[in-house]
Amino acid sequence: MKTENMEYKVFNYVNGQRVENNGKTEYRVFNPAFGKQIASVFDTGAEDVNKAVDYAYDAFLKWSKIPITDRIKYLFRLENLMRENADELAKMVTIEHGKTFKEAQGEVLRAIENVEAACSSTYNIMGKNNKNISAGIDEELIRVPMGVFAAITPFNFPIMVAFWFIPYAIGLGNTIIVKPSEKTPLTMQKTLDLFDKAGFPPGVISVVNGAVDTVNALLNNDKIVGVSFVGSTGAAKYIVSTASAKHKRSQAGASAKNYELVMPDADPEKVVPHLISSFYGNAGERCLAGSVLVTLPENHDKIVNLFKKQAQKLILGYGLDENVTLGPLIRSEHRERVLGYIDSGISEGAKLILDGRTFDAGKYRDGFFLGPSIFDDASTDMKIIREEIFGPVASVIEAKDFDDAIEIINKSQYGNASTIFTNSGTYAERFTEEVQAGNIGVNIGVAAPIAFYPFAGYKNSFFGDLHAQGGPDHVMFFTDSKVIIKRW
C-alpha cells in the first residue's frame, strides 16, 4: 500500500503512554493532495484532559528539581534524534498538510533550531544579586519554573509551532501538554517515538487531541498555569481573555495581512523570486505569507507583469513529487472560503489578472487545489485587503509615493510582518522605524525570526505580553521571579 493511501492511528500521549481516545466528536484527517481521509481524531473530554494534567503536574514536581544542566541533556538527545529522522518528519508534514517536501524540510529544520536554542537555558535562567543592599542585607532575584503549560497549535505548521513552546517550557523546568490541530495531528504522532527514545520521564511532555472541547478543558483546569496559542484572531482573543480570567499566563499569535513594498530602485529580477516564495509558499497558509504587494507608479507595470509571469509557472500537485512547487489547501471548505475572497475581489472592482481557478492539478483533481491568483488595482477599503485570506491570492496596490505606501501599510488592523525591497538605506531605515509590524524584512521575502529571537507581532496579530520562540521573552513567560532578601 502506498504511503499516501495509508490510514494512521491517532493516540493521546499521557504519562509516557499512548492512550486511545474514544471521544464522541470525530474529526477527519485528510491527505489534501488526494482529498482522501487517512485518519480520525476524537475530542479528548474534560475527564481525560484532567487526568493528563494531573500526571503532568506530578511529573513537574520531580522534573523541576532536576538540575538544569541535566534537563538540557534530554534536549540534546532530542535534537540529535530529530536530525536523524528529519526527512521522515518532513514527509509526514507533506502527507497531512500538503506543502512541498522542500517546504516541509524547512519547517522541520526550524523546529530543530528551537530545540538547539532552548539548550541555552543554562545561560538565560541566570539571576541577579546585590551584596549589602542595605547594612548586613543581601538580595537576589532568581527565575523559577511554574508548573504545567498548555500549547494549542495550528494546522499549517504541524511541528514547527509546537516547538516554539515545547523545548523552552521543559528546558526551564516545567511540563507541557500539547494540543495539535485536529486537521494535522500526525506529525506530532511521529515525534512520540522521539520523546521516548530521548528518555524524557513520563508526564514531562503530553499530547491530547481534539478541538474546541479539548481546548476548553485545558483552559478550565486550575493546574494549567499558562497557555501558548497560534491561530486566528478570533480564537486568540478568546484564548487570552479566558486564560486571563482564570489567572493563567497567555501568549497568542493571530491572523496577519503582510505587506511587501517594492521601491523603484530595487532590481525586479532579484525581487520577484522572493515575492513568489512569500506569497505562494505553503499555499499562502502561513502567518508570514506576503498578501499585499505595494508598488509605485515608476515600477508598477514591470513588477506586476514579471510577478504574474513567474506565478504562472508554478506547478500544482502532491508535495512529494519532485517537480511540484505549489501544494493544495488544507480542506475543501477552506478552498471554498478562499474562492469566496476571489469572488469578493471581483465584485468590489479589483482586476483579476491571474485566475487561480483555471489552474489544473492534473492527476490530483480530487485534491484541494487552487492555483495562484493576482488582483491588481486593489484598494484598502476592499475585503481582500482588510481581511486575512490564508491562501494563494495576491493583491496589488499602487501607492503614490513612499509616504503613501507607509500610510497604506499602517491602515491594516494587523501587524505581523512587512518587507521593503530597496537599495536605499534611507528608505530602509524609515521603513523599519515607521511601519507598525513586529517582524520587518529588508530585501527579505519572508521575515521569519531565527529561533533565538522572539516571533513578534503587533495590533490584531498578537495578544499577550511575551512573544513565542526564543530570546528573553521565553524565560519571562515560562518562569516566575522570586526575590530573596537575606540577613545573616
Side-chain angles (χ1 to χ4, degrees):
M1 184 176 290
K2 293 183 178 180
T3 302
E4 57 265 21
N5 294 321
M6 287 179 62
E7 293 193 9
Y8 300 87
K9 186 74 175 177
V10 178
F11 295 94
N12 286 348
Y13 185 66
V14 178
N15 200 33
Q17 301 293 320
R18 288 156 186 76
V19 180
E20 287 214 34
N21 178 21
N22 299 310
K24 296 179 181 179
T25 306
E26 179 184 7
Y27 301 91
R28 301 167 71 195
V29 181
F30 287 84
N31 181 323
F34 293 82
K36 178 179 174 59
Q37 182 176 350
I38 56 175
S40 291
V41 171
F42 294 87
D43 259 324
T44 303
E47 182 178 352
D48 288 332
V49 167
N50 293 340
K51 287 180 182 178
V53 176
D54 286 343
Y55 281 121
Y57 182 76
D58 290 343
F60 161 72
L61 297 177
K62 300 173 184 177
W63 178 251
S64 59
K65 292 179 174 60
I66 294 175
I68 190 169
T69 49
D70 290 333
R71 290 199 301 262
I72 65 170
K73 289 175 183 175
Y74 291 89
L75 294 178
F76 282 125
R77 289 197 290 272
L78 179 60
E79 187 264 344
N80 287 329
L81 288 164
M82 291 177 72
R83 285 199 181 276
E84 291 168 6
N85 294 273
D87 281 354
E88 286 302 307
L89 292 169
K91 188 175 182 180
M92 184 56 74
V93 170
T94 295
I95 289 169
E96 68 172 340
H97 174 268
K99 67 185 67 177
T100 69
F101 185 61
K102 183 177 180 181
E103 291 170 337
Q105 286 177 309
E107 176 181 347
V108 172
L109 178 60
R110 284 286 182 165
I112 293 170
E113 289 172 346
N114 275 279
V115 180
E116 291 177 336
C119 289
S120 66
S121 295
T122 49
Y123 301 99
N124 293 325
I125 200 64
M126 289 181 181
K128 301 178 180 179
N129 68 83
N130 289 89
K131 303 291 286 185
N132 292 318
I133 199 77
S134 186
I137 296 177
D138 301 337
E139 189 163 340
E140 64 180 313
L141 181 150
I142 61 173
R143 306 293 309 182
V144 295
M146 296 177 59
V148 185
F149 282 82
I152 301 162
T153 61
F155 75 81
N156 57 330
F157 286 94
I159 188 168
M160 182 189 75
V161 172
F163 278 80
W164 283 358
F165 312 118
I166 294 171
Y168 302 107
I170 63 178
L172 292 169
N174 307 282
T175 57
I176 191 166
I177 297 179
V178 181
K179 203 296 290 180
S181 169
E182 68 278 10
K183 295 182 175 68
T184 52
L186 299 178
T187 307
M188 188 55 61
Q189 294 289 301
K190 294 282 287 186
T191 66
L192 301 185
D193 289 338
L194 307 187
F195 297 149
D196 289 341
K197 290 177 181 178
F200 286 100
V204 172
I205 306 170
S206 305
V207 176
V208 295
N209 290 283
V212 174
D213 288 347
T214 307
V215 170
N216 283 328
L218 289 167
L219 290 172
N220 289 325
N221 188 291
D222 291 338
K223 289 182 180 176
I224 297 288
V225 296
V227 182
S228 300
F229 171 81
V230 174
S232 69
T233 289
K237 289 180 178 179
Y238 173 76
I239 295 285
V240 170
S241 62
T242 305
S244 298
K246 296 181 179 296
H247 201 57
K248 303 179 191 297
R249 291 189 175 183
S250 59
Q251 53 183 181
S255 305
K257 197 73 181 178
N258 305 314
Y259 288 69
E260 308 218 351
L261 168 61
V262 183
M263 295 299 292
D265 65 328
D267 182 350
E269 296 291 340
K270 293 181 179 179
V271 168
V272 168
H274 293 292
L275 297 179
I276 294 295
S277 174
S278 178
F279 281 77
Y280 302 120
N282 220 64
E285 293 175 328
R286 61 182 175 193
C287 58
L288 288 179
S291 182
V292 182
L293 173 59
V294 183
T295 61
L296 271 60
E298 301 96 308
N299 67 344
H300 176 84
D301 290 345
K302 190 169 185 177
I303 291 293
V304 171
N305 290 338
L306 186 57
F307 184 42
K308 175 183 175 181
K309 181 180 177 180
Q310 294 302 315
Q312 289 172 317
K313 296 179 181 180
L314 292 172
I315 300 171
L316 278 60
Y318 185 34
L320 294 181
D321 292 350
E322 289 186 7
N323 64 328
V324 167
T325 51
L326 182 62
L329 295 172
I330 189 66
R331 292 288 182 273
S332 59
E333 56 267 31
H334 185 61
R335 183 178 184 274
E336 291 302 313
R337 177 181 176 276
V338 176
L339 288 172
Y341 278 102
I342 294 176
D343 291 339
S344 174
I346 294 170
S347 67
E348 289 188 311
K351 184 179 178 182
L352 186 63
I353 62 171
L354 182 62
D355 189 347
R357 299 170 298 183
T358 65
F359 280 67
D360 186 4
K363 62 181 178 180
Y364 302 113
R365 288 187 178 88
D366 292 333
F368 311 135
F369 288 94
L370 180 63
S373 294
I374 301 174
F375 279 104
D376 200 0
D377 296 338
S379 60
T380 56
D381 60 336
M382 294 179 179
K383 185 178 179 180
I384 56 172
I385 300 297
R386 298 194 318 271
E387 299 181 9
E388 181 182 53
I389 298 175
F390 224 57
V393 179
S395 302
V396 185
I397 296 179
E398 182 179 327
K400 292 180 291 186
D401 52 30
F402 178 81
D403 290 327
D404 185 42
I406 297 296
E407 185 177 344
I408 288 168
I409 294 169
N410 286 342
K411 280 182 180 179
S412 176
Q413 65 171 310
Y414 302 114
N416 215 29
S418 194
T419 281
I420 184 172
F421 292 93
T422 183
N423 290 317
S424 166
T426 299
Y427 284 132
E429 286 301 305
R430 283 193 59 194
F431 188 88
T432 60
E433 291 176 5
E434 297 176 25
V435 167
Q436 298 165 7
N439 304 290
I440 301 293
V442 177
N443 300 320
I444 298 289
V446 180
I450 195 69
F452 43 85
Y453 278 76
F455 190 100
Y458 287 7
K459 298 191 276 191
N460 279 336
S461 290
F462 177 76
F463 297 86
D465 299 308
L466 299 165
H467 294 90
Q469 213 176 229
D473 285 27
H474 84 272
V475 177
M476 301 293 289
F477 186 78
F478 288 115
T479 64
D480 211 344
S481 58
K482 181 175 285 189
V483 176
I484 304 164
I485 305 134
K486 302 176 183 178
R487 172 185 284 140
W488 295 102

